[in-house]
Amino acid sequence: MPVLHSPRRSGGFLLAAVAAVAAAVLSCAVAAPAAADGPGWTAEPVAGSAPAAAKAGARPYSARPYSARPFFYVAGPSGTVLEDRLALANTSDQERTITLRGADAYNTAAGAFALRSAKPAAGGGSEGAATGAGRWISFGAGTTVKVPAHTRAVVPFTVTVPPGTPPGDHPAAVVATEAGREVGVRVHLRVGGPALAALTVEDVSVRGKGATARVAYTLVNRGNVALAPELVIRAEGALGKVAGRSARALPVEVLPGQRVELTEPWPGAPVFDRVALTLTVTAPGGARATGSASAWFVPWGIAGATGLGLLGLGAVAAAALLLERKRRIRSGGSGPGSGPAPHGSAVPEEAPAQEHELTGAPR
């Protein structure tokens, strides 16, 4: 069942009351960005066991009795049940009804971390579309939680890892929904066993030219753990040295079995050259892969002007040859054998026509 913590009045110790007010003011100042976000409630993990004062049920949400984490991290062998808790803080002046579910996580084509959405069930309502680790998350009777105004609710949940689950990372998330707004809190779930960090670099190509040139490529996680890759680009030109890109961490986390399509700025691309590119990607755990491509860089404006110039020269040469040919025709001949014979050459004389005698004819 959800554990609700609401304010309680105390008639004792003035100093303690002043301290509590000061703490609340400071805590409200820290929590202001979340409250100013507009929805009026937040969802975040709860770490550790509750302090004694919180167990007594005497702390308002703004005192933040628990230290928050950016995500859940749970680990264990297959066939076990893991536990954690979610904190729902209602920062508004009205009661909130929040629905909770588990969801599978995946990478979008661009590498972003995304969650599977819920789909309508056959009998009405909604059910999680999870088929992986999201389906293993259960809130029991706390699937729907009513959180009073200015109150924090702590909701326990379990992650039941089925027997025979392969080792490695199984990304998921806890999703809180209220009035059409969804907040996802990531769950890093690692099942015990051998961890394999492996990836490949595919489909390397160059887009654009000059200062706007970009290197496009695809990363595929072939292992069973999430990878935070680092990229190095080396370039070799046929006409000289070409600048690449030094090692830098990529702003993505590639989940097991996922592929992401990325582009990398390449301000060092040459103006005119044929370049061989080599991309080297590494990640913690010993993952390393390379991909290569070649590209021509031709300043088509200059090339076009040069081609037009050569075409013009060819046209002028053709016109000159045509004029010379016409001049020769006008001067009396148009080919070999025409015109006077060279000096000293023998010209055969025409033989006289042979006379034939006719016999048997009357004279």
Side-chain angles (χ1 to χ4, degrees):
M1 288 208 33
V3 180
L4 301 182
H5 299 279
S6 57
R8 185 180 65 179
R9 297 179 180 272
S10 175
F13 307 108
L14 179 60
L15 182 59
V18 173
V21 171
V25 171
L26 292 175
S27 183
C28 285
V30 174
D37 191 27
W41 61 273
T42 60
E44 60 185 7
V46 171
S49 59
K55 290 180 179 179
R59 301 299 291 272
Y61 82 90
S62 57
R64 290 189 179 272
Y66 310 109
S67 58
R69 297 168 289 167
F71 51 78
F72 295 103
Y73 182 85
V74 291
S78 62
T80 58
V81 178
L82 307 171
E83 298 179 350
D84 213 314
R85 297 183 300 170
L86 175 72
L88 300 174
N90 183 354
T91 60
S92 69
D93 296 327
Q94 60 184 11
E95 183 182 72
R96 300 285 180 173
T97 301
I98 301 174
T99 303
L100 304 174
R101 67 180 177 91
D104 293 340
Y106 67 99
N107 283 122
T108 65
F113 184 88
L115 304 177
R116 304 289 180 192
S117 61
K119 65 179 180 181
S126 64
E127 64 179 4
T131 58
R135 187 177 54 182
W136 309 340
I137 298 173
S138 174
F139 290 91
T143 303
T144 300
V145 183
K146 292 184 180 295
V147 187
H150 301 287
T151 303
R152 178 187 294 268
V154 176
V155 188
F157 66 92
T158 60
V159 181
T160 303
V161 183
T165 300
D169 293 338
H170 296 265
V174 168
V175 180
T177 306
E178 191 261 348
R181 174 183 179 248
E182 288 191 340
V183 175
V185 183
R186 183 170 178 176
V187 177
H188 286 270
L189 170 61
R190 174 161 293 189
V191 178
L196 173 63
L199 57 83
T200 56
V201 183
E202 304 174 4
D203 306 327
V204 181
S205 63
V206 179
R207 302 173 183 173
K209 59 183 179 179
T212 62
R214 302 183 71 87
V215 180
Y217 59 99
T218 300
L219 293 184
V220 185
N221 188 337
R222 304 289 183 180
N224 63 0
V225 294
L227 299 176
E230 187 176 85
L231 172 69
V232 175
I233 298 179
R234 290 184 173 85
E236 295 183 4
L239 303 180
K241 186 177 180 180
V242 178
R245 290 295 305 270
S246 57
R248 82 175 192 95
L250 299 177
V252 297
E253 182 181 17
V254 189
L255 303 177
Q258 300 290 302
R259 59 189 301 125
V260 298
E261 300 173 1
L262 305 173
T263 60
E264 185 74 12
W266 186 23
V271 176
F272 179 76
D273 204 346
R274 185 178 187 276
V275 180
L277 287 173
T278 301
L279 276 65
T280 302
V281 180
T282 58
R288 178 183 174 87
T290 60
S292 60
S294 60
W296 276 100
F297 291 89
V298 178
W300 293 111
I302 299 176
T306 303
L308 289 175
L310 293 175
L311 185 61
L313 288 176
V316 171
L321 291 175
L322 181 61
L323 290 174
E324 177 63 19
R325 183 178 180 84
K326 288 182 178 180
R327 187 188 64 78
R328 289 184 178 181
I329 292 175
R330 291 195 186 99
S331 63
S334 62
S338 62
H343 178 71
S345 62
V347 179
E349 295 180 358
E350 286 190 12
Q354 184 177 359
E355 294 184 1
H356 295 277
E357 182 180 357
L358 298 179
T359 58
R363 292 183 180 271

